[in-house]
């Protein structure tokens, strides 16, 4: 069954804060049948690992393109 909604989390170089945010968001999204998409604007392995630990989908830009581009990428992936 496809997700009923998507929660898009744009991020860049903040794996520790992302871990805190996903610890809160991921269980709530799962309870509602929503997916969580993390868009990494300047990819890093720590961010990928945090995303995987919380069961979210990871999408990365190869180079930094800015917050609005990360949001748009998340929308396109949803």
């Amino acid at each position: 069954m496809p997700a009923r909604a998507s929660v898009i989390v744009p991020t860049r170089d903040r794996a520790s804060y992302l871990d805190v945010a996903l610890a809160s968001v991921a269980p709530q999204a799962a309870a509602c049948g929503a997916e969580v998409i993390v868009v990494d604007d300047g990819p890093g392995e720590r961010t990928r690992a945090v995303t995987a630990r919380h069961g979210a989908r990871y999408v990365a830009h190869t180079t930094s393109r800015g917050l609005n581009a990360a949001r748009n990428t998340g929308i396109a992936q949803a």
Side-chain angles (χ1 to χ4, degrees), residues 31 46 73:
R46 288 185 60 219
T73 296

Side-chain angles (χ1 to χ4, degrees), residues 1-70:
M1 176 160 99
R4 293 173 36 190
S6 299
V7 178
I8 300 165
V9 182
T11 189
R12 180 175 177 210
D13 297 328
R14 299 186 70 177
S16 296
Y17 186 70
L18 178 64
D19 196 26
V20 172
L22 291 179
S24 176
V25 170
Q28 294 178 64
C32 296
E35 67 176 339
V36 178
I37 303 171
V38 173
V39 181
D40 194 356
D41 187 47
E45 286 306 311
R46 288 185 60 219
T47 301
R48 181 186 297 269
V50 168
T51 301
R53 186 168 52 250
H54 292 283
R57 185 158 42 128
Y58 179 82
V59 179
H61 289 163
T62 54
T63 60
S64 178
R65 295 171 38 203
L67 179 58
N68 286 334

